[in-house]
Amino acid sequence: MTNSDIVVQVDAPKQTESGGSDENPDLQVVGVATELRLLSVDDANETFVVALLIHAHYEDPESFDGDHASPDVFKRNSEYDGFIPEFTMVNCVDTQFDSFQVTVRTNQRTGEIWSSHYNTCTISESLELEKFPFDRQLFRVVFKSPNSALKQWEIDVGILDFLPDFKNGKRVENTSQYLVSCELKSWTMADFKVGQFKEDVDPASLTGGEMEITIMAERSPLYFFINFVLVMYLIVATNFANVSVSPSDSADRLATTITLLLTLVAFKFVLADAIPKVGYLTYMDKYVLTSYFFLMISIVENVAVTPRFLCYLDKNGFCNELETAEFEGDATDTDFYFQIIFLVAWTFENIIVAIFSFKPQILQESWKKVQEGQIGETESSVKRTSVVEDLDLKKEQLLQKVQEGQIGETESSVKRTSVVEDLDLKKEQLLQ
Protein backbone atom coordinates (compact mmCIF):
# COMPACT_ATOMS: atom_id res chain seq x y z
CA MET A 1 0.00 0.00 0.00
CA THR A 2 1.47 3.32 -1.01
CA ASN A 3 1.14 6.44 1.03
CA SER A 4 -0.87 8.12 -1.72
CA ASP A 5 -3.54 5.49 -1.15
CA ILE A 6 -3.97 6.20 2.53
CA VAL A 7 -3.53 9.95 3.03
CA VAL A 8 -6.65 12.05 2.66
CA GLN A 9 -5.72 15.59 1.64
CA VAL A 10 -8.10 18.32 2.81
CA ASP A 11 -7.73 21.95 1.82
CA ALA A 12 -7.96 24.36 4.74
CA PRO A 13 -9.79 27.69 4.46
CA LYS A 14 -7.81 30.56 2.96
CA GLN A 15 -5.93 32.70 5.42
CA THR A 16 -6.53 36.37 5.79
CA GLU A 17 -3.74 38.85 6.40
CA SER A 18 -4.39 38.55 10.13
CA GLY A 19 -3.77 34.82 10.05
CA GLY A 20 -7.42 33.84 10.32
CA SER A 21 -9.76 32.42 7.68
CA ASP A 22 -12.24 34.15 5.39
CA GLU A 23 -15.16 32.47 7.13
CA ASN A 24 -13.95 33.19 10.63
CA PRO A 25 -11.21 35.77 11.35
CA ASP A 26 -10.59 34.15 14.74
CA LEU A 27 -9.86 30.76 13.20
CA GLN A 28 -6.19 30.11 12.46
CA VAL A 29 -5.07 27.91 9.57
CA VAL A 30 -2.50 25.56 11.06
CA GLY A 31 -0.21 23.12 9.34
CA VAL A 32 0.11 19.92 11.38
CA ALA A 33 2.77 17.22 11.42
CA THR A 34 2.59 14.34 13.89
CA GLU A 35 4.88 11.91 15.68
CA LEU A 36 3.15 8.92 17.25
CA ARG A 37 4.40 5.78 18.95
CA LEU A 38 2.48 2.87 20.41
CA LEU A 39 3.75 2.17 23.94
CA SER A 40 1.47 -0.53 25.38
CA VAL A 41 -1.75 -2.46 24.79
CA ASP A 42 -4.11 -3.57 27.57
CA ASP A 43 -6.24 -6.37 26.09
CA ALA A 44 -8.23 -6.88 29.31
CA ASN A 45 -9.47 -3.27 29.44
CA GLU A 46 -9.38 -2.74 25.67
CA THR A 47 -7.14 0.29 25.88
CA PHE A 48 -3.74 1.27 24.50
CA VAL A 49 -1.18 3.95 25.36
CA VAL A 50 0.48 6.24 22.82
CA ALA A 51 3.00 9.05 23.02
CA LEU A 52 1.80 11.87 20.79
CA LEU A 53 3.79 14.85 19.59
CA ILE A 54 1.89 17.32 17.37
CA HIS A 55 3.90 19.95 15.52
CA ALA A 56 1.96 23.03 14.43
CA HIS A 57 3.13 25.61 11.90
CA TYR A 58 1.33 28.93 11.48
CA GLU A 59 1.82 32.70 11.26
CA ASP A 60 1.30 35.33 13.93
CA PRO A 61 1.60 38.88 12.56
CA GLU A 62 2.06 40.22 16.09
CA SER A 63 5.39 38.40 16.37
CA PHE A 64 6.70 40.00 13.15
CA ASP A 65 9.53 42.45 13.82
CA GLY A 66 10.80 43.05 10.30
CA ASP A 67 14.34 44.27 9.78
CA HIS A 68 14.94 44.77 13.49
CA ALA A 69 14.54 41.06 14.10
CA SER A 70 17.25 38.48 14.37
CA PRO A 71 18.34 36.53 11.27
CA ASP A 72 15.92 34.15 9.59
CA VAL A 73 16.11 31.43 12.26
CA PHE A 74 13.73 29.85 14.75
CA LYS A 75 14.49 30.10 18.43
CA ARG A 76 12.86 28.80 21.58
CA ASN A 77 10.57 31.46 22.97
CA SER A 78 9.30 30.74 26.48
CA GLU A 79 7.86 34.25 26.77
CA TYR A 80 5.69 34.03 23.65
CA ASP A 81 2.08 34.86 24.61
CA GLY A 82 0.44 35.00 21.18
CA PHE A 83 -1.89 32.55 19.50
CA ILE A 84 -1.17 28.86 20.20
CA PRO A 85 -3.51 26.22 18.73
CA GLU A 86 -5.29 24.00 21.24
CA PHE A 87 -5.55 20.25 20.76
CA THR A 88 -7.87 17.76 22.45
CA MET A 89 -8.02 13.96 22.24
CA VAL A 90 -11.48 12.80 21.21
CA ASN A 91 -11.18 9.13 22.24
CA CYS A 92 -8.74 9.56 25.14
CA VAL A 93 -9.73 8.26 28.59
CA ASP A 94 -6.61 9.30 30.52
CA THR A 95 -3.48 11.39 29.98
CA GLN A 96 -0.09 11.77 31.59
CA PHE A 97 -0.53 15.56 31.73
CA ASP A 98 -3.76 17.49 32.22
CA SER A 99 -3.01 19.37 29.01
CA PHE A 100 -0.48 19.14 26.21
CA GLN A 101 3.05 20.23 27.12
CA VAL A 102 3.85 23.00 24.64
CA THR A 103 7.21 24.20 23.30
CA VAL A 104 7.19 27.30 21.07
CA ARG A 105 9.72 28.44 18.50
CA THR A 106 9.37 31.79 16.78
CA ASN A 107 10.92 33.51 13.79
CA GLN A 108 10.45 37.23 14.40
CA ARG A 109 11.82 38.07 10.98
CA THR A 110 8.97 36.26 9.19
CA GLY A 111 6.30 36.09 11.89
CA GLU A 112 6.17 32.27 11.60
CA ILE A 113 5.57 30.09 14.63
CA TRP A 114 6.33 26.44 15.33
CA SER A 115 4.74 24.90 18.39
CA SER A 116 5.22 21.31 19.62
CA HIS A 117 2.47 19.72 21.74
CA TYR A 118 3.35 16.57 23.72
CA ASN A 119 1.29 14.18 25.83
CA THR A 120 0.97 10.48 26.64
CA CYS A 121 -2.59 9.26 26.25
CA THR A 122 -4.52 6.15 27.22
CA ILE A 123 -7.09 5.54 24.51
CA SER A 124 -10.15 3.30 24.52
CA GLU A 125 -10.60 1.05 21.50
CA SER A 126 -12.99 -1.79 20.76
CA LEU A 127 -10.73 -4.80 20.10
CA GLU A 128 -11.75 -7.96 18.24
CA LEU A 129 -9.93 -10.71 20.18
CA GLU A 130 -11.56 -13.92 18.97
CA LYS A 131 -8.41 -14.90 17.05
CA PHE A 132 -6.02 -13.94 19.87
CA PRO A 133 -3.01 -14.33 19.65
CA PHE A 134 -3.26 -14.39 15.84
CA ASP A 135 -5.21 -11.14 15.67
CA ARG A 136 -4.81 -7.86 13.86
CA GLN A 137 -5.93 -4.61 15.45
CA LEU A 138 -6.54 -1.01 14.48
CA PHE A 139 -5.32 1.50 17.07
CA ARG A 140 -6.90 4.85 16.29
CA VAL A 141 -5.89 8.22 17.67
CA VAL A 142 -8.34 11.06 17.01
CA PHE A 143 -7.39 14.62 17.91
CA LYS A 144 -9.00 17.92 17.05
CA SER A 145 -8.30 21.60 17.38
CA PRO A 146 -11.27 23.74 18.45
CA ASN A 147 -9.60 26.97 17.31
CA SER A 148 -7.72 25.92 14.17
CA ALA A 149 -8.40 24.70 10.66
CA LEU A 150 -5.88 21.90 10.18
CA LYS A 151 -3.92 20.99 7.08
CA GLN A 152 -1.07 18.59 6.46
CA TRP A 153 2.40 20.03 6.74
CA GLU A 154 5.83 18.55 6.10
CA ILE A 155 8.17 18.21 9.05
CA ASP A 156 11.38 20.22 8.89
CA VAL A 157 13.76 17.86 10.67
CA GLY A 158 16.31 20.61 11.15
CA ILE A 159 14.04 22.72 13.32
CA LEU A 160 11.72 20.57 15.40
CA ASP A 161 12.23 18.62 18.61
CA PHE A 162 11.52 14.94 18.16
CA LEU A 163 10.59 12.30 20.65
CA PRO A 164 13.50 10.30 22.11
CA ASP A 165 14.91 7.57 19.91
CA PHE A 166 12.72 4.48 19.92
CA LYS A 167 14.17 1.73 22.11
CA ASN A 168 12.41 -1.38 20.81
CA GLY A 169 10.45 -0.19 17.82
CA LYS A 170 11.53 0.87 14.38
CA ARG A 171 10.83 4.42 13.36
CA VAL A 172 8.78 4.31 10.19
CA GLU A 173 8.90 7.35 7.94
CA ASN A 174 6.05 6.83 5.50
CA THR A 175 5.93 10.53 4.73
CA SER A 176 7.52 13.69 6.00
CA GLN A 177 4.20 14.58 7.67
CA TYR A 178 4.09 11.59 10.00
CA LEU A 179 6.55 9.57 12.03
CA VAL A 180 4.73 6.53 13.41
CA SER A 181 6.20 3.58 15.30
CA CYS A 182 5.32 0.59 17.48
CA GLU A 183 7.63 0.05 20.45
CA LEU A 184 6.13 -3.26 21.58
CA LYS A 185 8.08 -6.46 20.97
CA SER A 186 4.87 -8.49 20.86
CA TRP A 187 3.38 -6.30 18.11
CA THR A 188 4.43 -5.43 14.57
CA MET A 189 3.19 -2.33 12.78
CA ALA A 190 2.08 -3.24 9.27
CA ASP A 191 1.14 0.27 8.15
CA PHE A 192 -0.80 3.34 9.19
CA LYS A 193 -3.56 5.45 7.76
CA VAL A 194 -4.25 9.14 8.09
CA GLY A 195 -7.68 10.69 7.75
CA GLN A 196 -8.22 14.43 8.03
CA PHE A 197 -11.67 15.91 8.52
CA LYS A 198 -12.72 19.54 8.20
CA GLU A 199 -15.84 20.72 9.95
CA ASP A 200 -17.97 23.51 8.46
CA VAL A 201 -16.32 26.73 9.54
CA ASP A 202 -18.90 29.44 10.18
CA PRO A 203 -19.28 32.41 12.54
CA ALA A 204 -21.43 30.35 14.91
CA SER A 205 -18.87 27.57 15.25
CA LEU A 206 -15.22 27.26 16.21
CA THR A 207 -15.05 23.53 15.62
CA GLY A 208 -11.79 23.85 13.73
CA GLY A 209 -10.26 20.67 12.38
CA GLU A 210 -10.11 16.99 13.30
CA MET A 211 -7.53 14.37 12.37
CA GLU A 212 -7.39 10.60 12.82
CA ILE A 213 -4.27 8.43 12.71
CA THR A 214 -4.80 4.67 12.61
CA ILE A 215 -1.95 2.29 13.46
CA MET A 216 -2.44 -1.07 11.72
CA ALA A 217 -0.67 -3.60 13.96
CA GLU A 218 -0.34 -7.38 14.07
CA ARG A 219 0.26 -9.31 17.24
CA SER A 220 3.33 -11.57 17.22
CA PRO A 221 2.12 -15.07 18.25
CA LEU A 222 5.68 -16.35 18.65
CA TYR A 223 5.87 -14.64 22.05
CA PHE A 224 2.88 -16.63 23.29
CA PHE A 225 4.07 -19.84 21.61
CA ILE A 226 7.50 -19.75 23.29
CA ASN A 227 6.39 -18.53 26.71
CA PHE A 228 3.06 -20.30 27.12
CA VAL A 229 2.21 -22.89 24.48
CA LEU A 230 5.58 -24.63 24.64
CA VAL A 231 5.42 -24.82 28.45
CA MET A 232 1.91 -26.26 28.40
CA TYR A 233 2.96 -28.79 25.76
CA LEU A 234 5.77 -30.07 28.00
CA ILE A 235 3.45 -30.28 31.04
CA VAL A 236 0.89 -32.41 29.22
CA ALA A 237 3.51 -34.47 27.33
CA THR A 238 5.12 -35.43 30.66
CA ASN A 239 2.10 -37.67 31.20
CA PHE A 240 3.74 -40.11 28.77
CA ALA A 241 6.01 -41.10 31.67
CA ASN A 242 3.11 -43.22 32.97
CA VAL A 243 4.08 -45.83 30.39
CA SER A 244 6.90 -46.88 32.75
CA VAL A 245 4.45 -47.57 35.60
CA SER A 246 2.51 -50.84 35.69
CA PRO A 247 -1.22 -50.42 34.94
CA SER A 248 -1.95 -52.30 38.16
CA ASP A 249 -0.38 -49.42 40.14
CA SER A 250 -3.31 -47.15 39.31
CA ALA A 251 -2.83 -45.02 42.43
CA ASP A 252 0.68 -43.94 41.39
CA ARG A 253 -0.43 -43.34 37.81
CA LEU A 254 -3.42 -41.25 38.92
CA ALA A 255 -1.21 -39.26 41.30
CA THR A 256 1.12 -38.38 38.40
CA THR A 257 -1.67 -37.31 36.05
CA ILE A 258 -3.60 -35.33 38.68
CA THR A 259 -0.38 -33.56 39.73
CA LEU A 260 0.15 -32.53 36.10
CA LEU A 261 -3.44 -31.31 35.92
CA LEU A 262 -2.98 -29.18 39.05
CA THR A 263 0.28 -27.84 37.60
CA LEU A 264 -1.62 -26.86 34.48
CA VAL A 265 -4.30 -25.11 36.55
CA ALA A 266 -1.62 -23.19 38.47
CA PHE A 267 0.03 -22.17 35.19
CA LYS A 268 -3.35 -20.94 33.98
CA PHE A 269 -3.26 -18.32 36.77
CA VAL A 270 0.12 -17.15 35.44
CA LEU A 271 -1.37 -17.03 31.96
CA ALA A 272 -4.43 -15.06 33.15
CA ASP A 273 -2.62 -11.71 33.01
CA ALA A 274 -1.66 -12.30 29.38
CA ILE A 275 -5.04 -13.56 28.14
CA PRO A 276 -7.77 -10.98 27.49
CA LYS A 277 -10.85 -11.30 29.68
CA VAL A 278 -13.69 -11.34 27.19
CA GLY A 279 -17.11 -12.94 27.07
CA TYR A 280 -16.20 -15.40 24.31
CA LEU A 281 -13.53 -18.03 23.68
CA THR A 282 -10.33 -16.88 22.01
CA TYR A 283 -8.00 -19.26 20.19
CA MET A 284 -5.75 -19.28 23.25
CA ASP A 285 -8.70 -20.18 25.51
CA LYS A 286 -9.54 -23.10 23.22
CA TYR A 287 -5.94 -24.34 23.36
CA VAL A 288 -5.92 -24.22 27.18
CA LEU A 289 -9.23 -26.14 27.34
CA THR A 290 -7.82 -28.73 24.93
CA SER A 291 -4.84 -29.32 27.25
CA TYR A 292 -7.26 -29.94 30.15
CA PHE A 293 -9.22 -32.33 27.95
CA PHE A 294 -6.12 -34.39 27.13
CA LEU A 295 -5.22 -34.85 30.80
CA MET A 296 -8.82 -35.74 31.70
CA ILE A 297 -8.75 -38.47 29.03
CA SER A 298 -5.52 -39.73 30.59
CA ILE A 299 -7.18 -39.91 34.02
CA VAL A 300 -10.00 -42.01 32.56
CA GLU A 301 -7.43 -44.23 30.84
CA ASN A 302 -5.54 -44.81 34.10
CA VAL A 303 -8.71 -46.37 35.52
CA ALA A 304 -9.84 -48.18 32.37
CA VAL A 305 -6.63 -50.14 31.64
CA THR A 306 -6.13 -51.66 35.10
CA PRO A 307 -6.15 -55.49 35.04
CA ARG A 308 -9.05 -55.55 37.52
CA PHE A 309 -11.22 -53.36 35.29
CA LEU A 310 -10.41 -55.39 32.16
CA CYS A 311 -11.20 -58.61 33.99
CA TYR A 312 -14.48 -57.15 35.19
CA LEU A 313 -15.47 -56.31 31.61
CA ASP A 314 -14.47 -59.78 30.38
CA LYS A 315 -16.13 -61.79 33.17
CA ASN A 316 -19.03 -59.38 33.55
CA GLY A 317 -18.39 -59.38 37.26
CA PHE A 318 -15.77 -59.00 39.94
CA CYS A 319 -12.61 -61.14 39.65
CA ASN A 320 -10.29 -62.63 42.25
CA GLU A 321 -6.56 -61.92 42.28
CA LEU A 322 -5.69 -64.97 40.19
CA GLU A 323 -8.15 -64.05 37.46
CA THR A 324 -7.03 -60.44 37.56
CA ALA A 325 -3.37 -61.42 37.07
CA GLU A 326 -4.28 -63.02 33.74
CA PHE A 327 -5.07 -59.58 32.30
CA GLU A 328 -1.79 -57.95 33.35
CA GLY A 329 -0.26 -58.41 29.90
CA ASP A 330 -3.34 -57.11 28.06
CA ALA A 331 -3.45 -54.06 30.33
CA THR A 332 0.23 -53.29 29.69
CA ASP A 333 -0.18 -53.57 25.89
CA THR A 334 -3.34 -51.45 25.87
CA ASP A 335 -1.70 -48.79 28.00
CA PHE A 336 1.38 -48.71 25.77
CA TYR A 337 -0.67 -48.14 22.61
CA PHE A 338 -2.77 -45.52 24.35
CA GLN A 339 0.29 -43.57 25.53
CA ILE A 340 1.75 -43.61 22.01
CA ILE A 341 -1.52 -42.36 20.49
CA PHE A 342 -1.83 -39.78 23.30
CA LEU A 343 1.65 -38.35 22.70
CA VAL A 344 1.32 -38.36 18.89
CA ALA A 345 -2.08 -36.62 18.99
CA TRP A 346 -0.92 -33.98 21.48
CA THR A 347 2.30 -33.38 19.52
CA PHE A 348 0.40 -33.12 16.25
CA GLU A 349 -1.89 -30.44 17.68
CA ASN A 350 1.09 -28.43 18.88
CA ILE A 351 2.82 -28.76 15.52
CA ILE A 352 -0.28 -27.17 13.97
CA VAL A 353 -0.11 -24.37 16.55
CA ALA A 354 3.59 -23.90 15.80
CA ILE A 355 2.89 -23.58 12.07
CA PHE A 356 0.25 -20.94 12.77
CA SER A 357 2.65 -19.13 15.10
CA PHE A 358 5.38 -18.92 12.45
CA LYS A 359 2.86 -18.23 9.65
CA PRO A 360 0.11 -16.23 11.38
CA GLN A 361 -1.19 -14.89 8.06
CA ILE A 362 -2.87 -18.30 7.57
CA LEU A 363 -5.36 -17.40 10.30
CA GLN A 364 -5.29 -13.63 10.20
CA GLU A 365 -8.21 -11.79 8.67
CA SER A 366 -7.74 -9.27 5.90
CA TRP A 367 -7.43 -5.64 6.94
CA LYS A 368 -10.76 -4.96 5.28
CA LYS A 369 -12.54 -7.45 7.55
CA VAL A 370 -10.68 -6.15 10.59
CA GLN A 371 -11.87 -2.66 9.78
CA GLU A 372 -15.46 -3.79 9.26
CA GLY A 373 -15.51 -5.73 12.53
CA GLN A 374 -13.63 -3.33 14.79
CA ILE A 375 -14.34 0.21 13.70
CA GLY A 376 -18.15 0.15 13.81
CA GLU A 377 -18.92 0.66 17.49
CA THR A 378 -15.89 2.75 18.43
CA GLU A 379 -16.04 5.00 15.37
CA SER A 380 -19.75 5.70 15.72
CA SER A 381 -19.27 6.52 19.40
CA VAL A 382 -16.36 8.88 18.72
CA LYS A 383 -18.02 10.66 15.82
CA ARG A 384 -21.36 10.84 17.64
CA THR A 385 -19.67 12.46 20.64
CA SER A 386 -17.81 14.88 18.38
CA VAL A 387 -20.90 15.96 16.48
CA VAL A 388 -22.93 16.39 19.68
CA GLU A 389 -20.20 18.62 21.09
CA ASP A 390 -20.21 20.67 17.89
CA LEU A 391 -23.99 21.08 17.98
CA ASP A 392 -23.84 22.22 21.59
CA LEU A 393 -21.07 24.67 20.69
CA LYS A 394 -23.05 26.10 17.75
CA LYS A 395 -26.08 26.57 19.97
CA GLU A 396 -24.00 28.26 22.66
CA GLN A 397 -22.34 30.58 20.14
CA LEU A 398 -25.68 31.52 18.59
CA LEU A 399 -27.28 32.29 21.93
CA GLN A 400 -24.24 34.30 22.97
CA LYS A 401 -24.48 36.44 19.84
CA VAL A 402 -28.16 37.06 20.51
CA GLN A 403 -27.32 38.23 24.02
CA GLU A 404 -24.53 40.50 22.79
CA GLY A 405 -26.79 42.04 20.18
CA GLN A 406 -24.72 40.76 17.25
CA ILE A 407 -27.89 39.58 15.54
CA GLY A 408 -29.89 42.66 14.58
CA GLU A 409 -33.26 43.54 15.91
CA THR A 410 -34.70 43.19 12.42
CA GLU A 411 -34.16 39.45 12.53
CA SER A 412 -37.24 37.87 13.99
CA SER A 413 -37.08 36.06 17.29
CA VAL A 414 -39.12 33.30 15.66
CA LYS A 415 -36.26 32.57 13.27
CA ARG A 416 -33.72 32.47 16.10
CA THR A 417 -35.95 30.12 18.05
CA SER A 418 -36.30 27.93 14.97
CA VAL A 419 -32.53 27.61 14.57
CA VAL A 420 -32.10 26.61 18.21
CA GLU A 421 -34.92 24.07 17.91
CA ASP A 422 -33.32 22.61 14.77
CA LEU A 423 -30.03 22.17 16.61
CA ASP A 424 -31.78 20.47 19.52
CA LEU A 425 -33.65 18.19 17.11
CA LYS A 426 -30.45 17.19 15.31
CA LYS A 427 -28.83 16.36 18.63
CA GLU A 428 -31.80 14.28 19.76
CA GLN A 429 -31.93 12.36 16.46
CA LEU A 430 -28.19 11.72 16.60
CA LEU A 431 -28.36 10.33 20.12
CA GLN A 432 -31.24 8.05 19.14
Side-chain angles (χ1 to χ4, degrees):
M1 181 182 295
T2 63
N3 188 64
S4 59
D5 297 329
I6 61 176
V7 176
V8 181
Q9 191 84 28
V10 176
D11 294 329
K14 289 181 63 179
Q15 279 185 290
T16 64
E17 293 182 359
S18 62
S21 64
D22 291 336
E23 296 88 341
N24 190 344
D26 297 325
L27 189 68
Q28 293 278 349
V29 179
V30 175
V32 176
T34 309
E35 294 184 70
L36 180 68
R37 56 175 174 168
L38 181 63
L39 300 181
S40 66
V41 178
D42 186 347
D43 294 311
N45 296 314
E46 295 190 281
T47 60
F48 62 95
V49 178
V50 294
L52 181 65
L53 186 59
I54 304 173
H55 303 290
H57 176 213
Y58 51 97
E59 293 183 0
D60 185 358
E62 295 183 0
S63 66
F64 177 73
D65 196 13
D67 296 334
H68 297 88
S70 56
D72 190 14
V73 295
F74 288 86
K75 296 183 178 181
R76 285 182 178 269
N77 191 343
S78 58
E79 298 179 356
Y80 173 76
D81 57 357
F83 172 83
I84 298 177
E86 298 177 8
F87 293 99
T88 59
M89 304 299 298
V90 177
N91 56 343
C92 184
V93 296
D94 193 18
T95 57
Q96 179 182 2
F97 307 105
D98 293 336
S99 60
F100 278 88
Q101 304 297 295
V102 182
T103 301
V104 178
R105 278 182 166 81
T106 62
N107 187 333
Q108 293 182 346
R109 189 176 186 85
T110 62
E112 292 179 279
I113 309 294
W114 266 281
S115 59
S116 300
H117 308 250
Y118 173 78
N119 211 338
T120 301
C121 307
T122 301
I123 297 175
S124 176
E125 182 66 86
S126 177
L127 305 180
E128 292 293 331
L129 298 167
E130 183 178 357
K131 292 196 172 184
F132 173 87
F134 306 100
D135 54 321
R136 288 175 165 177
Q137 302 293 343
L138 302 177
F139 301 106
R140 297 178 307 133
V141 179
V142 183
F143 64 90
K144 66 186 301 181
S145 177
N147 60 352
S148 304
L150 306 181
K151 65 178 181 179
Q152 294 181 82
W153 166 61
E154 294 188 2
I155 297 176
D156 186 339
V157 296
I159 296 175
L160 299 176
D161 289 334
F162 290 97
L163 293 174
D165 292 337
F166 300 136
K167 298 177 182 178
N168 303 322
K170 178 182 178 181
R171 174 173 281 177
V172 180
E173 301 186 34
N174 294 50
T175 72
S176 56
Q177 288 98 353
Y178 310 98
L179 297 175
V180 183
S181 177
C182 174
E183 277 212 22
L184 300 173
K185 292 182 178 180
S186 56
W187 289 86
T188 302
M189 192 183 81
D191 208 337
F192 73 90
K193 291 184 177 181
V194 178
Q196 190 170 2
F197 313 95
K198 180 172 73 70
E199 305 287 352
D200 292 334
V201 181
D202 57 61
S205 173
L206 292 179
T207 53
E210 181 175 308
M211 182 175 288
E212 175 183 293
I213 300 178
T214 302
I215 301 177
M216 305 164 65
E218 303 173 343
R219 198 188 303 269
S220 174
L222 278 177
Y223 170 82
F224 295 91
F225 177 78
I226 295 173
N227 291 279
F228 300 111
V229 173
L230 193 58
V231 174
M232 296 180 71
Y233 167 76
L234 294 176
I235 292 175
V236 177
T238 303
N239 185 72
F240 182 75
N242 273 339
V243 74
S244 63
V245 181
S246 173
S248 59
D249 296 331
S250 57
D252 294 337
R253 292 166 60 89
L254 282 171
T256 300
T257 304
I258 292 176
T259 299
L260 292 175
L261 182 61
L262 294 176
T263 302
L264 204 59
V265 171
F267 187 72
K268 176 65 167 60
F269 285 102
V270 177
L271 187 61
D273 292 335
I275 293 182
K277 300 174 179 63
V278 293
Y280 49 85
L281 291 178
T282 65
Y283 281 12
M284 180 61 79
D285 293 326
K286 294 176 182 179
Y287 176 82
V288 173
L289 292 176
T290 302
S291 65
Y292 290 156
F293 178 73
F294 267 82
L295 287 181
M296 290 303 299
I297 289 179
S298 183
I299 290 176
V300 174
E301 186 268 345
N302 287 334
V303 176
V305 299
T306 58
R308 179 176 298 178
F309 186 78
L310 294 178
C311 181
Y312 178 84
L313 293 178
D314 185 72
K315 305 294 184 180
N316 198 23
F318 292 101
C319 304
N320 55 39
E321 293 184 3
L322 183 61
E323 292 174 327
T324 300
E326 297 175 359
F327 289 87
E328 184 71 32
D330 292 339
T332 301
D333 292 341
T334 303
D335 177 65
F336 177 78
Y337 292 127
F338 171 84
Q339 296 295 344
I340 293 295
I341 294 173
F342 176 91
L343 185 61
V344 169
W346 178 240
T347 302
F348 178 76
E349 176 182 332
N350 282 268
I351 290 176
I352 298 298
V353 175
I355 293 175
F356 290 153
S357 298
F358 283 93
K359 298 288 184 180
Q361 59 269 25
I362 299 175
L363 291 178
Q364 288 173 340
E365 293 181 331
S366 66
W367 284 112
K368 182 179 180 180
K369 288 186 176 180
V370 173
Q371 184 173 4
E372 291 174 352
Q374 182 177 342
I375 280 187
E377 181 178 352
T378 304
E379 185 177 66
S380 62
S381 175
V382 169
K383 289 192 173 181
R384 185 168 60 248
T385 301
S386 177
V387 175
V388 168
E389 290 175 352
D390 292 340
L391 289 175
D392 287 336
L393 186 56
K394 286 183 179 181
K395 178 180 176 181
E396 182 180 347
Q397 292 287 337
L398 184 62
L399 292 175
Q400 183 178 356
K401 286 191 174 186
V402 172
Q403 293 174 356
E404 294 176 354
Q406 295 180 11
I407 297 181
E409 294 295 335
T410 57
E411 186 174 358
S412 67
S413 60
V414 176
K415 184 176 180 180
R416 294 197 301 270
T417 304
S418 176
V419 173
V420 173
E421 289 177 350
D422 288 343
L423 291 174
D424 288 336
L425 181 60
K426 287 181 180 180
K427 178 180 177 181
E428 182 179 352
Q429 291 174 345
L430 184 65
L431 292 174
Q432 288 178 350

